[in-house]
């Protein structure tokens, strides 16, 4: 800026504020100022990002769950991580996520749109639950989440051929359909009793929604179980008319301890029985013809079998005539050659105090007289177009399988059962099979079913009119059928693969899945050729005795190979344990059975039921509880007349009269148990 003022001759004087010239001494100060300004801007920016990240972190939390782009973790009330789920089908775009109340929702992965949310559905003590849903919007894209199982011991899911308690995972398995299957014919599949429910020792439970096209896999190296939803290359079907867009939805609940969280899940998410089967089923053994005679059964053998039951002074809830009493599979009349006077046989049995049940199945073989009738009336499950009946192969041949979603097929099958009841006075039926592996991979039914295992549910419903004494070996959402459920056939062996050692883990698993009226397999197993320990056609004698002792503490007992096939000592042991079952076990089981209708709590319980914080109790698979006050520890090893026993803290009295008043759990090492004994302890 300048100013003009009067001056001397010839010109003006200009008064200017001169521009200063920086010396070399002042340049470092300028540089420092610039750097300081840059640092200030960076600090402000970092602070802004920090504040934003805090806000984002707060946004992606709901109660005790933290969400990130690759999955989420859940903590318990103490702050420890108890559950981790990783997303395998995409990475969430966190900028698409928002929070409203207790719901986190996201609209995108890094490469596509989707619908995803996690909602807190019970934000209060002592149980915290989360509802999770990942829905793809593009057809045929699978959804897969991987649950880390290394934090705890896990239980539930399905029965299996090699049964362990807790679940023991080995190797790797790509996700495969989680549907009911016959594990006797295919030992790598899931079993005939199955529910999409798992429970952990750190008080966490997960229940997959029934609408999910659910596939299960695992990886022992990564310590993960893969939960996948898909329609591609799968027997699951989308809703008719809708695109096959997969949805994986489930609920996770966290509680204070493993017992209380299971009680909560059962009350909230499981069917429950609506009645208790006939009391005599709990008190007296069932006697089946199967293991003794297989398909070589006839009228004379049935009458002789019944006469021997009375001769050796055993009680009988009912006598079960098993496989091949008909001429062909799919017929409902006694083979006149093998049973020349079935009516007289039934009258004789009735006069001797026997009720009789019959083996039944859902198949009609192509050589049966009923096959043509069922084809003409459209009673079979059909091939995918629905125009032709589908032929299926089962363990007794080839034929059609009745479509129990079809009211006409249900009525026809029911009419055959009613006819047997009215003609002969049949008391009930053993409903065999029912697993989805006997359906074609692609099939159609009169009423479309999205989940193949729903066919199992429809089959189990056929037992409802007979559920006082009926027996089923498959179950899916079938807890309220209110009859006895039995696992698939056992081999006459000691081990964990369908052997004696598998019995307790299998019964505990079935119990956790909500099936409380349990009929273990026949005492001693089925004595199949090449699947029997020992050199005899009979099960090993010691194995038979140990199996008998264990069965006496189950809700019901079932003989097939009779004790008199061995010797008088075995007969006396059998009398001792059928009497013990009737006098000690059955009254307690019946008391608990009545409670099941309201609570759904197991009758047969794991040790952790009363020892919820006990790490050792989580792993015990050779002892069990009946209720809270009767603990059983059978011998399950050949050649042993002693075993180690784990006593939870409390006041116990042994079957020998010993008293244990202990404030801490106690190991009884090499506790002596004679061949004719089973160790059990009563809470005092």
């Amino acid at each position: 800026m300048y100013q003009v003022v009067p001056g001397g001759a010839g010109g003006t004087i200009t008064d200017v504020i001169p521009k200063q010239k920086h010396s070399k001494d002042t340049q470092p100060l300028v540089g420092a100022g610039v750097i300081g300004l840059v640092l200030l801007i960076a600090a402000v920016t970092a602070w802004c990002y920090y504040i934003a990240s805090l806000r984002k972190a707060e946004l992606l939390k709901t109660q005790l769950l933290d969400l990130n782009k690759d999955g989420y973790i859940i903590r318990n009330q103490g702050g420890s991580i108890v559950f981790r789920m990783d997303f395998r089908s995409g990475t969430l775009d966190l900028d698409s996520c928002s929070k409203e109340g207790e719901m986190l929702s996201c609209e995108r992965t890094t490469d596509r749109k989707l619908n995803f949310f996690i909602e807190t559905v019970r934000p209060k003590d002592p149980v915290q639950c989360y509802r999770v849903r990942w829905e793809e919007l593009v057809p045929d894209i699978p959804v897969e989440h991987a649950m880390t199982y290394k934090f705890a011991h896990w239980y539930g899911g399905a029965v299996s051929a090699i049964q362990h308690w807790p679940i023991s995972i080995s190797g790797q398995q790509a996700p495969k359909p989680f549907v009911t299957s016959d594990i006797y014919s295919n030992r790598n599949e899931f079993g005939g009793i199955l529910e999409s429910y798992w429970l952990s020792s750190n008080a966490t439970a997960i229940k997959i929604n029934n609408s999910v096209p659910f596939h299960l896999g695992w990886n022992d190296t990564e310590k993960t179980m893969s939960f996948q939803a898909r329609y591609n290359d799968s027997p699951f079907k989308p809703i008719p008319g809708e695109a096959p867009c997969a949805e994986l939805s489930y609920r996770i609940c966290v509680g204070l301890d493993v017992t209380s969280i299971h009680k909560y899940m059962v009350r909230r998410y499981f069917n429950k029985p609506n009645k208790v089967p006939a009391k005599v089923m709990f008190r007296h053994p069932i006697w089946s013809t199967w293991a003794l005679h297989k398909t070589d059964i006839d009228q004379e053998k049935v009458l002789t079998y019944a006469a021997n039951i009375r001769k050796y002074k055993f009680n009988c809830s009912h006598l079960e005539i098993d496989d091949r009493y008909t001429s062909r599979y799919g017929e409902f009349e006694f083979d006149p050659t093998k049973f020349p006077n079935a009516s007289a046989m039934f009258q004789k049995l009735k006069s001797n105090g026997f009720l009789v049940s019959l083996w039944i199945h859902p198949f009609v073989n192509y050589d049966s007289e009923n096959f043509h009738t069922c084809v003409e009336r459209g009673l079979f499950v059909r091939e995918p177009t629905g125009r032709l009946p589908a032929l299926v192969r089962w363990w007794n041949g080839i034929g059609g399988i009745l479509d129990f979603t079809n009211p006409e097929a249900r009525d026809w099958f029911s009419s055959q059962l009613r006819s047997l009841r009215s003609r002969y006075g049949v008391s009930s039926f053993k409903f065999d099979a029912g697993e989805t592996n006997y359906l074609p991979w692609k099939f159609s039914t009169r009423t479309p079913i999205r989940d193949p295992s729903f066919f199992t549910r429809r089959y189990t419903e056929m037992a409802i009119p007979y559920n006082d004494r009926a027996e089923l070996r498959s179950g899916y959402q079938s807890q309220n059928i209110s009859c006895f459920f039995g696992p698939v056939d056992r081999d006459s062996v000691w081990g964990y693969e369908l052997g004696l050692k598998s019995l307790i883990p299998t019964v505990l698993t079935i119990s956790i899945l909500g099936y409380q009226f349990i009929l273990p397999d026949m005492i001693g197993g089925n004595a199949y050729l090449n699947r029997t320990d020992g050199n005899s056609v009979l099960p090993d004698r010691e194995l038979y005795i140990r199996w008998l002792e264990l069965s006496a503490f189950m809700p019901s007992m079932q003989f097939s190979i009779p004790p008199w096939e061995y010797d008088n000592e075995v007969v006396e042991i059998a009398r001792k344990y059928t009497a013990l079952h009737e006098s000690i076990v059955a009254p307690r089981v019946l008391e608990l059975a009545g409670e099941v209708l309201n609570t759904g709590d197991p009758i047969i319980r794991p040790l952790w039921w009363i020892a919820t914080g006990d790490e050792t109790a989580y792993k015990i698979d050779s002892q069990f509880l009946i209720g809270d006050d009767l603990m059983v520890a059978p011998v399950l090893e050949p050649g042993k007349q002693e075993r180690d026993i784990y006593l939870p803290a409390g006041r116990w009295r042994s079957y020998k009269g010993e008293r244990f008043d202990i404030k801490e759990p106690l190991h009884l090492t090499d506790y002596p148990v004679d061949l004719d004994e089973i160790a059990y302890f009563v809470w005092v």
Side-chain angles (χ1 to χ4, degrees), residues 403-414 458 461-462:
D403 178 3
F404 293 103
T405 75
N406 181 350
E408 293 182 37
R410 294 163 67 88
D411 289 345
W412 181 83
F413 186 73
S414 295
R458 282 285 177 252
E461 290 170 353
M462 303 308 298

Side-chain angles (χ1 to χ4, degrees), residues 22 180 286 486 498 525 626:
H22 295 295
T180 58
I286 296 169
L498 296 178
I626 301 174

Side-chain angles (χ1 to χ4, degrees), residues 559-571:
F559 285 99
S560 185
I561 294 172
W564 55 83
E565 290 290 312
Y566 292 92
D567 52 51
N568 288 335
E569 183 184 12
V570 175
V571 171

